[in-house]
Amino acid sequence: MAALGLKKNLLTLIPVVILALVLVPGNVKGQNSVADIVTDDFFNGILNQASGDCPGKSFYTRAAFLSALSSYNEFGSGSADESKREVAAFFANVAHETGSLCYIEEINGASQDYCDETNTQYPCNPDKKYYGRGPLQLTWNYNYGAAGNSIGFDGLNSPETVATDPVISFKTALWFWMTNVHQVLNQGFGATIRAINGAIECNGGNPGAVQSRIQYYTQYCNQLGVAPGDNLSC
C-alpha cells in the first residue's frame, strides 16, 4: 500500500510540475536561455573585474538580475547566437557604465542637473536628483518617471530606490534596454551605443568610451562563443 500511495503522490505532483514549467518565462528556463548564458561564472567574472572595495559587489547579484529578467520575456528570446549577442551587448554597456558593476550611483552625480523642466508629463521633484543609478545609470526625470510607472515604483519622488533595491535596479536597466535598445540589435553593437549615449559618444564625440564598450562586448562574445557581428562602432 505504501508503494501505491507513493505512486498516487507522484501522479498528483506531475501536473503541478508541468504548470510551474509553463509559468516560468522562456528567457529564464530551458536550453540556451538567458539563465544558461548568464552563469555564475559569467556574472561573477564581470564583478571580479572591478576592484575589491566596490559598493556594487555587495549590491549587484545574478539572482537579482534573473528576478528582474522574469518581467522582460523578450530579452534574449532570439536564436541561440542572437541571445548570446544580446547578453554580451547588454553586459558590455553595463560594464562600461558601472566600471564592471562597481558603481551603483554616478560619481559626483549629485552635482549634475538632470532635470528637464520642459517635460510636463514627468515633472521634477525639486528635492530629488535624477543622476545616474543602476546597471545602465538611469538618468533624467522623464526616464525615472516612465521607468517607475512601468515597473511599479515612484521614480520621480523616490529615485534613490534604484540604488537601494537591486531587483528594481536591474529592472530599470532592462526597461531602458527593451524600450530603447532591443529593437536596434539587428543593426550591430554600434547601434546599442548610439541608443544609450550616442549624442555624447558617437560620431567622434568620445571615441575612448566607444572603444571601451566595444572591448567589453568582444570579450563577452568570445567568452560565450559567438561571433560579435558587424558594425561594432558608432
Side-chain angles (χ1 to χ4, degrees), residues 53-186:
D53 59 349
C54 286
K57 283 199 169 187
S58 59
F59 181 76
Y60 298 116
T61 66
R62 176 177 179 267
F65 168 71
L66 293 180
S67 179
L69 180 68
S70 65
S71 297
Y72 297 92
N73 295 339
E74 293 304 310
F75 181 91
S77 61
S79 68
D81 283 354
E82 288 170 343
S83 296
K84 290 177 181 179
R85 274 191 286 268
E86 181 159 18
V87 166
F90 176 80
F91 279 102
N93 284 296
V94 165
H96 172 78
E97 294 283 346
T98 62
S100 297
L101 294 174
C102 179
Y103 305 112
I104 304 170
E105 298 180 302
E106 180 182 354
I107 299 173
N108 298 322
S111 64
Q112 305 296 318
D113 182 14
Y114 291 109
C115 174
D116 180 2
E117 295 180 353
T118 67
N119 190 294
T120 56
Q121 183 178 5
Y122 300 112
C124 301
N125 180 328
D127 297 323
K128 298 295 181 178
K129 298 283 189 176
Y130 304 102
Y131 55 81
R133 297 180 179 91
L136 282 180
Q137 296 288 280
L138 190 73
T139 53
W140 296 100
N141 51 303
Y142 48 82
N143 281 325
Y144 275 91
N149 284 351
S150 176
I151 295 166
F153 76 100
D154 193 345
L156 289 177
N157 296 309
S158 299
E160 61 274 5
T161 305
V162 182
T164 59
D165 185 319
V167 174
I168 286 181
S169 196
F170 268 116
K171 280 187 176 182
T172 64
L174 288 165
W175 168 83
F176 185 89
W177 185 270
M178 299 308 297
T179 303
N180 300 284
V181 187
H182 176 79
Q183 61 269 31
V184 302
L185 284 169
N186 60 358

Side-chain angles (χ1 to χ4, degrees), residues 24-74:
V24 175
N27 62 343
V28 177
K29 67 180 181 179
Q31 187 176 12
N32 293 320
S33 70
V34 175
D36 291 325
I37 298 168
V38 184
T39 61
D40 283 327
D41 286 345
F42 179 83
F43 191 92
N44 292 333
I46 298 173
L47 279 176
N48 291 336
Q49 288 183 292
S51 60
D53 59 349
C54 286
K57 283 199 169 187
S58 59
F59 181 76
Y60 298 116
T61 66
R62 176 177 179 267
F65 168 71
L66 293 180
S67 179
L69 180 68
S70 65
S71 297
Y72 297 92
N73 295 339
E74 293 304 310

